[in-house]
Amino acid sequence: MRGLRRAALGAVVTLLATAAQAQAPGRAAIASPHAEATAAARLILEQGGNAFDAAIAVSAALAVVEPYGSGLGGGGFFLLREAGETPRYRFLDARERAPGAATADMYLKDGKLSPSLSINGPLAAAIPGLPQALADLANAHGKLPLKDSLAPAIRLANEGFAVDRVYRDRAQMRLAALREDAQSARLFLRDNQVPALGTLIRQPELAATLQQLAAHGRDGFYRGQMAQRLVAGVRQAGGIWSLDDLASYRSVWREPLRFTLADQRELISSPPPSAGGVALAQSLAMLQRLPWQSAEPVQRSHYVLEVLRRAYRDRGLLGDPDYVSNPINKLLARSYLTGLTDGIDVYQATPSSALPPAPAWREGDHTTHFAVIDAEGNALAATLSVNLPFGAAFTVAGTGVVLNNEMDDFAADPGGSNSYGLAGSQANAVAAGKRPLSSMSPSFIESPTQFASFGTPGGSRIPSMVLLSMMGFLQGQPVQDWPATARYHHQYLPDVVEHEPGAFSAAEQAQLEARGYRLKDLGRSYGNQQVLYWNKQAGSVEAASDPRGVGQALVLP
């Protein structure tokens, strides 16, 4: 992991603004997981667009070059900062919704869960939210017409992009499923094999779909000929979408989760149906009561693991706020968080079995994330997803749209276990029109002197990754270190510490095991963080892209 930190030096760009301005950075910055997406955002900013126009361009470009991570067949969360003397924060929930014909037992066969039904093929697909979100962003906050912001992605889909190592890795993970669908195999494989590095992937059907969205706004996707084609393709292959499901889909503007931290800092993060914002607020609040900054490495890891254990225990209580009542006030009450912190043994791990029981869950971990800030101080952080790599591995013929498999994020069997063998949650049970719970956590931390943006793909590990990056920020570490930091994770159940290779030395592992932890080396790195930092006092703007990926961070001159 030390090599990652050195590699990160090439992924960060720092430029000073001409003057220190408390209200505007004076420069724009972008951090995205793909150079083509960063280039699309830069083009839109140079054409006079703001951060929100640039976000549309990035989202659409990622739909082209990262079909394994996001796309028009998926959804996501958008956290917005509107510049002003007093910034305004908004949260756009474009999470997918269960079809109207969905039922709580739709993935059971003979009373038992059949995991493949919620993973592969159109029955696994919820109604997409990304096309609606792009139209909403343009209508509510954009300076440019939607067609201008979508133009770079349309050109990219027509002209093609080159296969890189990340594409090959994700395609290999889902090779069998991609082979099962003729359209997906035609578009994303070559001779039924993972394409070689540098292979050009062209998607003219997706370009035409983007053109419809550009010309007609949300109705170009959710109504008319495009909607008919989507529904016909889904139903012919065994799915349950209807024209009404598409026509009635709406993204939702929600109030962001806001939580006061020390030193005039405030966490602005994702509310339900994200469980991530609550977990981050709880974790940061508990850490504030612990001497983590002065602790030696093993002791610091102990504190982090114990606050994560407690925060993750509570997430099973959350669900779609349009369907369930979320006890956020209770979970973020200072007295409650004090009690959680006081229950932490300074030297020994707390067995998860010793805590009050709660349902646990897991979700697909191959989403995507980006962040952008413009010269005026408007900013947006977004985490987008189709769930597993290439979603349901099903592409609707004639559209180029790869469908998500977000239905697997529901507790498919709330009375027993889901496809990961974890206890189900009634709050996250399948229901018609409902949004599944998610860990996606685009987040800001802001104070009178600083602004920072955080986020990453990674499924259930998202909050732990973001927390570790935020700790780097709170310690004053260089921006390039935030996404490069070695990662470890605890999510209450299973009661195990997952970690990247090299996250702990052999001596540190022995010390943690002596404290009662069970460690599991995942044998691979995970996550792909994109971060921004605006030092209002110094008048500097910085951006950094995770060295694990192939992204690009850029500060515009």
Side-chain angles (χ1 to χ4, degrees), residues 286-421:
M286 284 185 271
L287 284 175
Q288 283 183 171
R289 295 182 56 80
L290 297 167
W292 66 273
Q293 296 213 42
S294 59
E296 51 85 19
V298 170
Q299 185 64 40
R300 179 179 302 169
S301 297
H302 170 70
Y303 288 142
V304 173
L305 291 169
E306 290 307 308
V307 303
L308 287 172
R309 184 197 305 273
R310 286 155 176 78
Y312 272 82
R313 191 207 74 87
D314 284 346
R315 69 181 183 161
L317 305 174
L318 303 172
D320 183 348
D322 297 332
Y323 282 73
V324 300
S325 178
N326 289 296
I328 293 179
N329 289 338
K330 173 192 171 184
L331 297 179
L332 297 185
R334 299 290 176 175
S335 58
Y336 176 70
L337 294 170
T338 297
L340 291 182
T341 313
D342 290 347
I344 295 175
D345 187 298
V346 175
Y347 300 111
Q348 288 296 312
T350 303
S352 291
S353 59
L355 298 176
W361 53 280
R362 174 128 181 220
E363 62 192 287
D365 60 359
H366 293 285
T367 52
T368 195
H369 181 86
F370 70 88
V372 59
I373 187 170
D374 63 29
E376 287 70 44
N378 299 299
L380 185 146
T383 309
L384 313 176
S385 182
V386 288
N387 201 29
L388 295 180
F390 292 92
F394 179 85
T395 305
V396 181
T399 70
V401 176
V402 183
L403 299 189
N404 67 82
N405 60 355
E406 298 288 0
M407 294 297 288
D408 193 58
D409 276 1
F410 283 113
D413 181 13
S417 64
N418 62 16
S419 61
Y420 294 90

Side-chain angles (χ1 to χ4, degrees), residues 468-539:
L468 291 170
S469 283
M470 287 178 170
M471 290 168 64
F473 161 69
L474 294 172
Q475 285 186 292
Q477 293 178 1
V479 175
Q480 66 265 22
D481 287 358
W482 304 354
T485 189
R487 290 169 185 161
Y488 54 93
H489 170 76
H490 198 296
Q491 62 177 49
Y492 171 68
L493 292 176
D495 192 351
V496 61
V497 178
E498 297 178 335
H499 63 90
E500 292 181 319
F504 303 114
S505 68
E508 289 169 342
Q509 290 185 53
Q511 291 180 56
L512 287 168
E513 288 169 348
R515 291 179 181 232
Y517 292 106
R518 185 162 59 96
L519 275 62
K520 179 182 179 182
D521 188 331
L522 294 177
R524 61 178 178 86
S525 62
Y526 60 88
N528 193 4
Q529 295 208 49
Q530 313 296 322
V531 300
L532 300 175
Y533 177 58
W534 167 25
N535 185 323
K536 301 176 187 179
Q537 287 183 317

